[in-house]
Amino acid sequence: MTQNPLLGWIAPGYTVGIGWTGDRDRELIEINFERNPEYRKYFAANDPRKVMDDLSLLLGREVQPHRTLLLLDEIQAAGEVLAKLRWFAEELPELPVIAAGSLLEFTLTHHEFSMPVGRVTFRHMEPIGFPEYLLANGQEKLLKIIGAWRSGETLSRAVHEHAWRWFERFSMVGGMPEVAAADAGGAAPSKCRDMQRDLMAAFRADFPKYAGRLQADVLDTVLRAVAGSIGRKFVYAQADACLKQHHAKRALELLTAARICSLVRYSAGNALPLGAETKDTFRKGVLLDVGLLHALLNTPAAAAFPAWESLPSDFRGRIAEQMAAQQLRLLNASGAEEPGLHYWQREGGRPGEIDFLAGIGDRIIPIELKSGAAGSMKSLHQFMHEKGLALAVRCDANPPSDMHVDFATTQGHPTKYRLLSLPLYLLWNLPTLLAEGLNIETRQYL
C-alpha cells in the first residue's frame, strides 16, 4: 500500500479503479456505502452523467468530472455498483473512479451482476511498509541513509541502532493505517494497542457475514491457531482437538480469501516460478498485520511498548516471521493477485527448513530469519549445496554486511555461496540491493 497526498490512507483490501493516471489537481469526492447506504440509489441509473448530476444535487455544488476523483468506499456494501463502472469507463472516461472495500473478494465471487471485464484495473492494498512508517514519523533522513546502503559499504553502529529502534516500534504498531497514524500523532502505546484490539473486534464482527459458510466460532478458533503457529507448519488437526479437520481447512480458506490471513506455501525450490512445485499438505500461516498478532495474543502496552529483549524468544521469532512476511508481500503486491509467499521444508529424514524463498528477477533467493544476532545456518548450507545456488540472504539483528561462505554441510559436502546479511529493517530494499552490486556469476561459487 502507498500513501497518496490526494487520497490519504486507503485501508488494506482490494481497490478497483478506472481512468486515473495520478493527476493530483483534482477534488476528492468520497462516497461511503457502509456509512451511508442510502447513497446506493444515486447509482441506480446506467447513465454516469445522470449519476454525477444527482451527486451534484446531493453535495450542493457542481461536480466537474475532469476536475474530480470519485472514491467509492466500502463498495462491498453496494456490490451492484461495481457493474456500473463499465458505463463510467465507456461514457465518462475523463472521470477517474476508485472503488475500495474489505471482504470484496466475497462480493466478486458471489455476485448476480455482470462485472465490467476489461474496463477496470484491480489492485491489492497491503498494510504500510517500514519506509512509509518512517516517513509518517518524520524520519526522512534515516530512510535516505539506510536506503542508500549498498554491498561493500559500512553502515555505522549509531545509524543501525537508531534504525533498529524504529523497526522495533514498527513491529509493535504495525502497518494498519489508522493505528500507524495515531502512533505518528503521538498516541500512547496503550491507545495504539486498544485500536488494534478494536480492529480485531471489527474483523470478528464481520465473521457473521460468512453466514452459510461456517460458524463464526470456528473461524475465530482457526484465526487464533494461525497466530499461535506463525513460523511453523500449520496443521489442521492441531488447531483444536474438538474441531473437525475439514472445518479447520474450510475456515483457513475463508480467512485467507478475506485477506485476514495469508499462506506461506511449500515450494521445492528447484526453479521459477516457485508456485509450480507446491504441495497442499505443507503450509505456514501469517496474519494481515502484526498489529492483529498483538491483539490476539494480548501483548502488553502501557506508557511504553515492551522492549524487544524482554519478549520471550519464541514470540520474538514469531514477530520476525510476521514482519518478514509483510515486507516480502509488498515486493509483489502491485496487482489483483494474492502476493505469493513460499518456504522450503525437508520431507522425512533429517529436519531442515528455509523460512522464505523469494523469486526476484531470474533468481531463487533463500531467506533465513534470526530474531537475534546469531544462530545456526545448517539448513541453509545444505539447501545451497543441494540446489546449486550462489546467493542467499540472512536477516538478523546485526548491521548489514556481505560475505563469501566457504563451508561444509553436516554431511561433509563443501559449499560456497555469497551471503547478504540484512537487518529486518532493510528487507524492503532487497530487489534494489540484488540489482545493484550483487550481480555475480554463479560459477564462481559452485
Side-chain angles (χ1 to χ4, degrees):
M1 195 192 81
T2 58
Q3 184 185 23
N4 183 281
L6 181 62
L7 291 178
W9 296 113
I10 296 181
Y14 251 138
T15 63
V16 186
I18 58 172
W20 190 40
T21 58
D23 180 12
R24 299 179 181 180
D25 190 20
R26 288 178 178 267
E27 177 190 15
L28 173 66
I29 294 179
E30 178 184 353
I31 303 295
N32 189 305
F33 290 109
E34 193 167 83
R35 187 183 305 121
N36 303 106
E38 68 276 11
Y39 287 175
R40 296 168 66 167
K41 63 177 178 286
Y42 291 97
F43 292 83
N46 288 334
D47 183 349
R49 298 188 185 278
K50 184 179 186 310
V51 171
M52 298 308 293
D53 287 342
D54 290 345
L55 289 179
S56 295
L57 290 175
L58 173 67
L59 299 171
R61 65 181 185 278
E62 187 67 24
V63 176
Q64 299 177 314
H66 68 287
R67 304 289 294 174
T68 301
L69 172 63
L70 180 60
L71 172 61
L72 307 178
D73 202 8
E74 304 297 350
I75 191 69
Q76 78 281 355
E80 72 279 4
V81 176
L82 284 170
K84 310 293 182 179
L85 294 182
R86 66 170 298 177
W87 307 115
F88 282 89
E90 293 176 356
E91 300 181 20
L92 208 59
E94 66 271 25
L95 172 69
V97 182
I98 296 178
S102 59
L103 303 182
L104 190 52
E105 295 81 359
F106 294 109
T107 301
L108 295 173
T109 302
H110 304 280
H111 60 79
E112 298 178 354
F113 48 84
S114 176
M115 281 296 296
V117 178
R119 298 174 179 86
V120 300
T121 299
F122 291 84
R123 289 292 182 267
H124 178 68
M125 311 298 285
E126 292 284 318
I128 67 170
F130 187 53
E132 292 168 306
Y133 180 76
L134 289 179
L135 292 175
N137 284 276
Q139 295 296 312
E140 293 87 352
K141 185 174 182 179
L142 175 60
L143 178 59
K144 182 177 180 180
I145 293 173
I146 63 175
W149 180 85
R150 294 295 182 267
S151 174
E153 300 176 353
T154 300
L155 192 68
S156 75
R157 173 64 65 172
V159 170
H160 169 69
E161 291 178 353
H162 190 55
W164 188 258
R165 285 195 298 270
W166 274 108
F167 190 80
E168 286 182 5
R169 188 174 184 92
F170 182 48
S171 72
M172 292 289 117
V173 174
M176 300 303 282
E178 188 176 0
V179 182
D183 176 60
S190 57
K191 173 63 176 177
C192 294
R193 192 68 82 232
D194 287 341
M195 294 175 69
Q196 291 167 340
R197 295 188 185 105
D198 289 344
L199 184 60
M200 190 66 257
F203 278 123
R204 284 196 176 107
D206 278 339
F207 285 173
K209 295 180 181 179
Y210 308 150
R213 298 186 177 95
L214 208 63
Q215 293 181 348
D217 61 337
V218 174
L219 290 165
D220 191 63
T221 296
V222 173
L223 179 61
R224 289 184 176 278
V226 170
S229 67
I230 290 176
R232 304 191 304 271
K233 177 182 176 182
F234 184 86
V235 180
Y236 297 123
Q238 296 177 0
D240 189 280
C242 300
L243 190 62
K244 294 181 179 179
Q245 182 170 324
H246 70 278
H247 284 162
K249 183 176 185 295
R250 181 56 180 151
L252 186 60
E253 290 172 349
L254 288 172
L255 290 169
T256 54
R259 312 281 177 134
I260 299 174
C261 298
S262 296
L263 293 183
V264 185
R265 302 181 185 278
Y266 164 90
S267 173
N270 293 314
L272 296 175
L274 293 170
E277 295 181 290
T278 61
K279 290 187 177 181
D280 292 338
T281 54
F282 284 67
R283 95 289 299 161
K284 297 190 293 185
V286 293
L287 300 174
L288 170 67
D289 181 72
V290 71
L292 302 184
L293 177 64
H294 293 305
L296 286 166
L297 300 183
N298 201 27
T299 308
F305 290 112
W308 181 262
E309 297 80 8
S310 70
L311 298 172
S313 59
D314 177 68
F315 188 35
R316 289 201 305 268
R318 273 187 276 174
I319 293 176
E321 183 105 5
Q322 175 67 40
M323 297 304 292
Q326 287 183 222
Q327 294 186 88
L328 290 172
R329 284 174 63 86
L330 284 170
L331 299 185
N332 60 349
S334 60
E337 295 299 321
E338 174 80 4
L341 295 176
H342 297 90
Y343 81 111
W344 175 84
Q345 179 178 343
R346 188 181 303 282
E347 299 181 68
R350 304 185 312 278
E353 181 178 316
I354 303 298
D355 297 299
F356 291 99
L357 297 180
I360 300 179
D362 60 353
R363 296 176 184 271
I364 295 175
I365 306 296
I367 301 173
E368 187 86 345
L369 300 181
K370 305 297 177 187
S371 60
S376 171
M377 295 196 301
K378 294 178 181 178
S379 293
L380 183 59
H381 294 328
Q382 188 66 37
F383 182 84
M384 297 300 286
H385 168 73
E386 291 179 5
K387 305 301 180 182
L389 299 179
L391 177 63
V393 172
R394 175 181 60 191
C395 285
D396 56 24
N398 293 305
S401 63
D402 180 19
M403 62 181 291
H404 295 272
V405 173
D406 188 347
F407 211 81
T409 70
T410 55
Q411 305 301 304
H413 302 297
T415 181
K416 297 180 181 180
Y417 61 93
R418 194 167 183 174
L419 179 66
L420 179 62
S421 183
L422 296 177
L424 274 168
Y425 63 73
L426 268 182
L427 192 54
W428 60 271
N429 206 28
L430 185 56
T432 298
L433 294 174
L434 295 182
E436 299 181 15
L438 285 176
N439 291 319
I440 55 178
E441 292 294 333
T442 303
R443 62 176 178 268
Q444 290 179 285
Y445 302 94
L446 299 181

